[in-house]
Amino acid sequence: MKIYAVIFLVFDAFFSFAGVLPSLGGATKLLQIQSVIVNGKSISVDGLMGKVRLGAFPKNVYFTFGPGTNSSQLFTRLCYKLDGYDTNWNANSGQMRVSISFCDERKRKIREDSFKVGGNSLGWNGTLENSTLIHRQETSIVPPEASRLWVLISSAGPPQSVGLYVVKDLVVTRNFSGSGVPNALLRSDDAIDESAPNWIRDVTSPKAWIRDGTDPSMAKIVELGQYSKAKALAILDDDPMGHAEWHNNYDNAPQVNPGDRITTEWNELYTMGVGDDFSSHSYVDLPPGEYRFHVSELTALGVPTGVEASLDIVVSPPIWRQPLFFAISILLVIVFAVGSSRYYTWRIMRHEMARIERQRELELERLRIARDIHDDLGARATQISMLSSMSPNDQAFPNNARADFDRIFNLSRELIAALYQTIWTVSPEYDNLNALGNYICQVAERLCGPARIRYRLQVENLPNHIQVSSQTRHNIMMTVKESVHNVVKHAKASEVAIKVTFETNILRITIQDNGCGFEPAAVVAGNGLTNMKRRLQDIGGTCVVESQPGHGTTVHMQLLISIVKLDSRPRNGTSKNPVERHEHELE
């Protein structure tokens, strides 16, 4: 038998701890939080441990609570509080009342005026000794056919109202219709006969107060104050399923007349709640954070009994306020920035490669055209020049034919020069500053040599790895050629100096002669000077002509060169190093 007893105790302890068999002697939880209602959706908390997470943006939250599982507890009053949100305890308020009922001679109720109270009065401080009464006054008009009145003090408000309602110095007075003289009809506690079990007698009238209700014992006489113990009528309702009343004797109810003005005034004190409402009020738009919901049982006077339950809840912040979202957002921004940068770089490189490919195809086409001109037209023009130069040596040719062949020879030489200038302009092998400087030297030699004019060339710092487009080279060469041609044709000069410099991305070309000069303001500009300025303007440069009679002429050309580096390998046999200085004199 001892062994069976030990086994029984072990199983009893185990199941009590697990909450499976509370009937074996384990403790039963009297009060528990049963569910959380979030946005109309119920979340059961039965069996949950730790915190309940409500997610972000709970628009409407309230809690349900009640007796624990397997508990038959009836609670007097319940209060609740949400730590982190509420500053005070909350409770669902019950109602008690003072009523004035008007009836006829057959005790048939004609009308009832109810003056209700609920919650805690302003003077309530937790005990009868420390609380103060509040004065109240109400007025009623006696309805037709009414001849008597009843006064009722009752806790039969909502079915489960509990608490304390104290009424002291209640006086009902009447003003006769057509008269302003008041008449006292009923008093509550001018004289209280505590020896009478169910009534209190007013020493000035035969009318009595009677205890009534489903539990008349809850209708009490209480003492107020710390020192002078004043007595008052009270309802101390601690039964959620019952109620109590004080009322005057129906048989000896005061008489009234229709139209009379009835004034009821009294001093009151109260604290009350309900014992059947197991839900909190609604919490709207709870901000993110951690909270703890408490529910506690109170006595009829609002004193905690120690029966309590609590639940931790968490309202999550919105996703964009969470650290992980912040980290992911930063990562996505970085990935997007890097991806965008790489995509932008890829697009730029693609466009640049396409441009380079087009430029390469264009250069190949230009090179083909230059080679075709050189190999075909150049060879034919050279052959014509050689034949025309040899034909005059034949003695059989007449003199006039020799003159024609001389003209053909000179024209073929000019054609060859024009073809080679075109080849120089078209060929991509000469798209650099060094080739431009060399060609300027060749033009000066070709034009000044036959005219027996001394020419000085100073060409400095012209690298061969800086690109100059064929259009730019052509316009510069045509302007230089036109300027030197004007010196040969119009200046009557014996010397011309050509200087080419390249500093800080600016190409400067100066052509100065010691000829007769002219007055620029007095000379009508011809096509030569106009074309020189226009050609430089077309490529973004300037051309300025300075001259004075008897002091020669100076032409200043200036152009900003955008730096686009080329392959530094020599092109068409040109030197890799810049042409530093060339000086030629021809007597």
Side-chain angles (χ1 to χ4, degrees), residues 257-471:
N257 300 313
D260 289 346
R261 184 182 182 89
I262 304 299
T263 301
T264 306
E265 57 182 318
W266 68 96
N267 297 318
E268 62 185 8
L269 179 68
Y270 54 88
T271 174
M272 59 193 67
V274 291
D276 65 338
D277 194 347
F278 300 133
S279 64
S280 70
H281 69 252
S282 179
Y283 293 93
V284 180
D285 293 330
L286 280 178
E290 296 187 1
Y291 304 90
R292 171 169 286 185
F293 182 76
H294 300 269
V295 58
S296 177
E297 184 192 23
L298 305 175
T299 65
L301 296 180
V303 179
T305 64
V307 177
E308 184 175 323
S310 62
L311 176 68
D312 291 333
I313 65 170
V314 177
V315 178
S316 302
I319 188 172
W320 57 84
R321 291 178 56 184
Q322 297 183 11
L324 182 60
F325 177 83
F326 184 71
I328 293 176
S329 299
I330 293 178
L331 180 61
L332 290 178
V333 169
I334 293 174
V335 170
F336 178 77
V338 172
S340 300
S341 176
R342 290 180 64 86
Y343 177 75
Y344 179 77
T345 304
W346 175 78
R347 288 290 301 272
I348 294 296
M349 292 180 61
R350 183 179 179 183
H351 291 165
E352 185 65 18
M353 291 177 64
R355 186 191 66 80
I356 294 174
E357 183 64 23
R358 291 194 299 269
Q359 183 178 355
R360 176 177 170 276
E361 293 175 356
L362 180 61
E363 289 183 354
L364 291 176
E365 184 64 17
R366 289 170 55 196
L367 184 60
R368 184 191 65 78
I369 294 173
R371 288 174 177 174
D372 289 348
I373 293 174
H374 180 273
D375 296 341
D376 189 8
L377 297 180
R380 294 176 185 272
T382 302
Q383 186 177 8
I384 293 173
S385 178
M386 293 178 60
L387 291 175
S388 61
S389 65
M390 295 172 58
S391 298
N393 296 329
D394 191 348
Q395 297 299 323
F397 273 54
N399 291 331
N400 56 353
R402 289 191 180 93
D404 292 336
F405 275 100
D406 287 339
R407 286 195 297 273
I408 294 172
F409 173 72
N410 292 330
L411 289 175
S412 62
R413 285 175 59 87
E414 293 177 0
L415 176 60
I416 292 172
L419 286 176
Y420 278 102
Q421 180 176 345
T422 302
I423 293 172
W424 180 84
T425 302
V426 172
S427 177
E429 295 180 336
Y430 303 106
D431 287 349
N432 61 84
L433 284 178
N434 189 28
L436 177 63
N438 290 336
Y439 199 74
I440 289 175
C441 296
Q442 295 175 19
V443 169
E445 180 179 359
R446 188 167 61 248
L447 294 178
C448 294
R452 312 295 293 178
I453 298 176
R454 292 194 302 273
Y455 59 93
R456 298 181 180 274
L457 302 176
Q458 185 176 352
V459 183
E460 299 179 351
N461 300 325
L462 296 182
N464 63 352
H465 61 275
I466 295 181
Q467 182 180 7
V468 181
S469 67
S470 60
Q471 179 186 5

Side-chain angles (χ1 to χ4, degrees), residues 46-57:
D46 186 21
L48 291 181
M49 301 296 290
K51 299 177 181 178
V52 176
R53 297 187 178 274
L54 304 185
F57 303 114

Side-chain angles (χ1 to χ4, degrees), residues 207-229:
K207 304 177 183 66
W209 287 84
I210 301 174
R211 294 181 175 93
D212 205 346
T214 59
D215 188 353
S217 65
M218 294 187 297
K220 298 181 180 296
I221 298 173
V222 296
E223 294 182 343
L224 303 175
Q226 294 182 354
Y227 305 107
S228 58
K229 301 295 184 178

